[in-house]
Amino acid sequence: MAAAAAVVTPSGLEDGVSRSRGEGAGEGTVERGPGAAYHMFVVMEDLVEKLKLLRYEEELLRKSNLKPPSRHYFALPTNPGEQFYMFCTLAAWLINKAGHPFEQPQEYDDPNATISNILSELRSFGRTADFPPSKLKSGYGEHVCYVLDCLAEEALKYIGFTWKRPSYPMEELEEETVPEDDAELTLNKVDEEFVEEETDNEENFIDLNVLKAQTYRLDMNESAKQEDILESTTDAAEWGLEVERVLPQLKVTIRTDNKDWRIHVDQMHQHKSGIESALKETKGFLDKLHNEISRTLEKIGSREKYINNQLEHLVQEYRAAQAQLSEARERYQQGNGGVTERTRLLSEVTEELEKVKQEMEEKGSSMTDGAPLVKIKQSLTKLKQETVQMDIRIGVVEHTLLQSKLKEKSNMTRDMHATVIPEAAIGSY
């Protein structure tokens, strides 16, 4: 619990209301920084930590046989259908954990109705949702992370969870051993090195501290016994030999530390003196080189002036030739443009001439060719034949009409006689 509290900020429950919710979250006028596109990854990580605090793995995932989502599950598109189902399942479980009864959505429920119910429950908690519901249909994105984060915070509030200060494990402080350089000695380690040398050396040397202690005790004894007469019992020759033997060991060589500021100052002075001595040597060479370069530049300038004076008339002629060349180029461009226009007109006239020649050839061939006359004669013959056939057909039709008229007349006459005979018979009776 302490580790989770260390990951999520202690003010996470209060900061959830003021988090950014994308372009449609109601704060469109506020300019989004360059890191706003990655804000949903932070919200998603906070959401995972809050879900762990709510024990969603034991209470939801194992019961529903669902896979635990990754730390960026709702931030990146992987499988929109599966992500939307996981979103609806988590939202319903968080709403129930927050104390509001909410039915667990099924796989074949209407997604629009489910989203509207989730948003209505979110607004009932006092949270804002100023974005279109279609933003949640994809199952991933900033708005999905925002909705789940708000519901998780409400669930934590309902169960009475409070953030505590993170408890850090006590770490044992290890003693740092500073490696000593045998080639360098400092003033604080002189006595220690003398003690080590005395223990390492096979020969027995006189300890300075022991000598000081002995001297101090002797002084005390002498002060206590002022009546005693000072008299040395040591032989002077032996004392001199002992001094000569111990004298090399009594010389303390203190090697300087490269980190000391005095060494840096000395080095600065050495470098300064070296630079000054090198500058004195090189300054003469540099002055000489400067003088030579100046004389060379003066010679070059005088030569340029001389050459310019000698070649002034050639330069004038060159400039005049350049002007003439530019004028000739302009005239050439103009003439080239006229030639191009005239070439185009010539091509048009040539095309028209070809068309006229082709028409004349067609007319001449038609005038000298007898094929059209043969075609006309054949057409006339065909027309005469068709006229004869039409006359025959007309005669046949007229004969048929005449027969039909005669037949009809005979029928009428027979009908008239049939009607007159019965009347005469009736009159006889």
Side-chain angles (χ1 to χ4, degrees), residues 379-395:
S379 299
L380 290 174
T381 305
K382 190 175 180 180
L383 285 174
K384 287 179 181 180
Q385 292 176 359
E386 289 178 355
T387 303
V388 173
Q389 291 177 1
M390 289 298 293
D391 290 338
I392 295 171
R393 290 180 181 179
I394 291 170

Side-chain angles (χ1 to χ4, degrees), residues 85 105-110:
Y85 179 71
Q106 301 299 324
E107 187 175 359
Y108 299 102
D109 290 346
D110 185 12

Side-chain angles (χ1 to χ4, degrees), residues 249-306:
Q249 302 294 332
L250 296 178
K251 291 182 180 179
V252 179
T253 58
I254 301 174
R255 299 189 180 183
T256 57
D257 188 5
N258 290 329
K259 297 182 180 179
D260 191 5
W261 64 271
R262 297 179 182 84
I263 303 301
H264 295 296
V265 172
D266 294 337
Q267 291 177 355
M268 289 170 62
H269 287 298
Q270 292 176 2
H271 293 317
K272 181 182 178 182
S273 60
I275 291 170
E276 289 177 352
S277 61
L279 181 61
K280 290 178 181 178
E281 296 177 359
T282 56
K283 188 175 181 181
F285 295 106
L286 292 175
D287 292 337
K288 184 178 180 180
L289 182 62
H290 177 265
N291 295 328
E292 290 179 357
I293 292 171
S294 300
R295 288 195 299 270
T296 305
L297 290 175
E298 290 178 356
K299 290 179 180 179
I300 291 171
S302 62
R303 291 291 181 180
E304 286 180 353
K305 292 179 180 179
Y306 176 75

Side-chain angles (χ1 to χ4, degrees), residues 84-85 87-88 105-119 133-134 136-138:
F84 180 73
Y85 179 71
F87 162 69
C88 296
Q106 301 299 324
E107 187 175 359
Y108 299 102
D109 290 346
D110 185 12
N112 295 322
T114 304
I115 290 172
S116 62
N117 294 334
I118 293 172
L119 291 179
S134 61
L136 302 178
K137 269 190 178 182
S138 59

Side-chain angles (χ1 to χ4, degrees), residues 204-251:
N204 293 326
F205 299 106
I206 298 173
D207 192 356
L208 294 178
N209 294 326
V210 175
L211 290 175
K212 290 179 181 178
Q214 291 177 359
T215 306
Y216 179 75
R217 285 196 298 271
L218 290 173
D219 292 338
M220 292 296 294
N221 292 330
E222 289 177 357
S223 61
K225 297 179 181 180
Q226 296 180 358
E227 65 276 4
D228 294 341
I229 299 172
L230 296 177
E231 184 178 357
S232 178
T233 59
T234 306
D235 189 5
E238 294 179 358
W239 183 263
L241 293 174
E242 184 68 19
V243 169
E244 290 179 358
R245 187 178 66 84
V246 180
L247 184 62
Q249 302 294 332
L250 296 178
K251 291 182 180 179

Side-chain angles (χ1 to χ4, degrees), residues 13 45-46 81 95 119 170 174 231 254 256 258 318 336 339 362 367:
L13 295 175
E45 291 182 358
D46 292 346
I95 292 170
L119 291 179
M170 296 298 294
E174 298 180 357
E231 184 178 357
I254 301 174
T256 57
N258 290 329
Y318 175 73
N336 192 13
V339 170
E362 290 178 356
M367 290 174 66

